[in-house]
Amino acid sequence: MKFDVITIFPEIFDFYFKHSIIKKAQEKGIIKIRVHNLRDWTLDKHKTADDKAFGGGRGMVVKVEPIFRSVSSLTKLKIKNEKLKTKKKKVKIVLFTPRGKKFNQKMATQLAKLDQLILICGRYEGVDERVAKYIADQTISIGDYVLMGGELPALVLIETVARLIPGVIGKSELLGERITKKKGFREYPQYTRPEIFEPKPGVKWKVPKVLLSGNHKKIEEWRKKRSKIIE
Ligand code: SAM
């Protein structure tokens, strides 16, 4: 699966994608992440990617033209009923905005089936609304709060989607049993050694006995009882 991130601040991603599981998944060729500088698709010598808002108001707005050019160079597109459409079925263009559809596990499961995700990160006072109206297939919010840019939402989405792709995390075949019928995720508490931890003499923080019992049926019952369904 390919992730193409469009941003004015590509450096933000440098560290993150070069570490841990995301790095290994790229090395194994399971996922491919490319981060593109929106300014590379501007045409003036100052590489202007934003401008003042029509109607006044504070702050700048990210321009539609460089976004159109960047998206057009990343996948084959056609224009149908005024709206941009990707020619390939399994490609989606996402714009991050706090006004978008709230991101959740079910959405991540659906996105993980695609071949390519083009992720547009906004900045400043937002993105020219024509991007949401004519270019993006989907607008996504990662929660009811306003961030300064779409870079963290892009990281959140990539990490959530990538870990659902077979082979990205170890024993990923076991993930299936934690996916719910509604395509959400079942999460339960985990413990590791030591069995008893003493933060100070006489105080004992213990691992629940059932997890040490070796009785898989009972362990599964305990996990079911303690699970939170993330949907
Ligand atoms: N007025 C803009 C709007 O309604 O979309 C929000 C501007 S916000 C300060 C700057 C950028 O951060 C947005 O364009 C968006 O890409 C990103 N952003 C901020 N909060 C977000 C959230 N909760 N979810 C997704 N993206 C967010």
Side-chain angles (χ1 to χ4, degrees):
M1 174 158 187
K2 268 195 284 184
F3 297 92
D4 283 289
V5 184
I6 301 169
T7 169
I8 294 174
F9 297 105
E11 307 79 19
I12 289 177
F13 297 89
D14 281 354
F15 178 85
Y16 203 80
F17 292 146
K18 286 185 188 136
H19 288 82
S20 188
I21 290 172
I22 290 283
K23 179 188 173 201
K24 285 196 193 121
Q26 292 173 88
E27 285 169 354
K28 284 193 228 161
I30 304 168
I31 59 170
K32 189 171 180 179
I33 305 174
R34 297 183 297 182
V35 181
H36 312 275
N37 190 339
L38 182 63
R39 295 191 194 281
D40 293 343
W41 281 283
T42 54
L43 300 178
D44 62 311
K45 69 171 181 191
H46 301 294
K47 297 189 175 290
T48 314
D50 56 291
D51 208 334
K52 284 184 240 155
F54 279 124
R58 40 156 276 138
M60 303 299 274
V61 175
V62 180
K63 289 160 75 66
V64 62
E65 304 106 300
I67 293 184
F68 172 76
R69 279 194 287 272
S70 62
V71 169
S72 304
S73 79
L74 296 173
T75 184
K76 288 209 166 79
L77 297 158
K78 58 183 177 201
I79 290 192
K80 201 176 164 196
N81 301 330
E82 295 202 333
K83 200 182 163 351
L84 215 57
K85 290 259 172 236
T86 48
K87 282 194 180 165
K88 288 186 188 159
K89 248 188 169 174
K90 291 176 102 181
V91 179
K92 258 201 192 328
I93 303 165
V94 169
L95 170 70
F96 292 108
T97 158
R99 288 176 292 127
K101 189 167 175 204
K102 194 99 61 76
F103 187 55
N104 61 19
Q105 193 65 38
K106 188 176 171 184
M107 226 191 261
T109 308
Q110 282 157 357
L111 295 176
K113 292 178 190 145
L114 298 174
D115 292 338
Q116 186 184 11
L117 264 171
I118 299 174
L119 306 171
I120 306 167
C121 306
R123 271 275 155 180
Y124 315 123
E125 282 309 298
V127 176
D128 187 312
E129 189 63 16
R130 284 168 287 191
V131 174
K133 200 169 169 191
Y134 300 115
I135 297 181
D137 296 306
Q138 207 168 338
T139 56
I140 292 183
S141 160
I142 61 157
D144 291 335
Y145 39 80
V146 182
L147 297 160
M148 289 190 272
E151 289 76 16
L152 285 173
L155 286 169
V156 167
L157 184 144
I158 291 173
E159 180 150 327
T160 314
V161 171
R163 77 186 282 282
L164 295 173
I165 298 170
V168 169
I169 59 171
K171 296 190 184 161
S172 55
E173 69 282 2
L174 294 180
L175 271 185
E177 53 195 53
R178 287 168 62 188
I179 295 176
T180 65
K181 275 190 193 135
K182 288 188 185 168
K183 303 290 173 220
F185 215 76
R186 187 165 70 92
E187 282 293 348
Y188 45 76
Q190 306 273 10
Y191 293 84
T192 186
R193 277 182 284 193
E195 290 172 23
I196 299 172
F197 173 63
E198 287 194 52
K200 73 173 198 180
V203 175
K204 293 186 192 322
W205 294 350
K206 296 180 187 166
V207 173
K209 270 197 190 131
V210 61
L211 297 180
L212 310 172
S213 68
N215 184 329
H216 295 295
K217 197 168 164 252
K218 283 206 164 132
I219 292 173
E220 186 46 31
E221 278 166 12
W222 181 90
R223 284 181 171 163
K224 255 195 190 137
K225 226 159 71 196
R226 301 292 303 272
S227 283
K228 179 174 176 181
I229 306 298
I230 321 273
E231 278 171 347

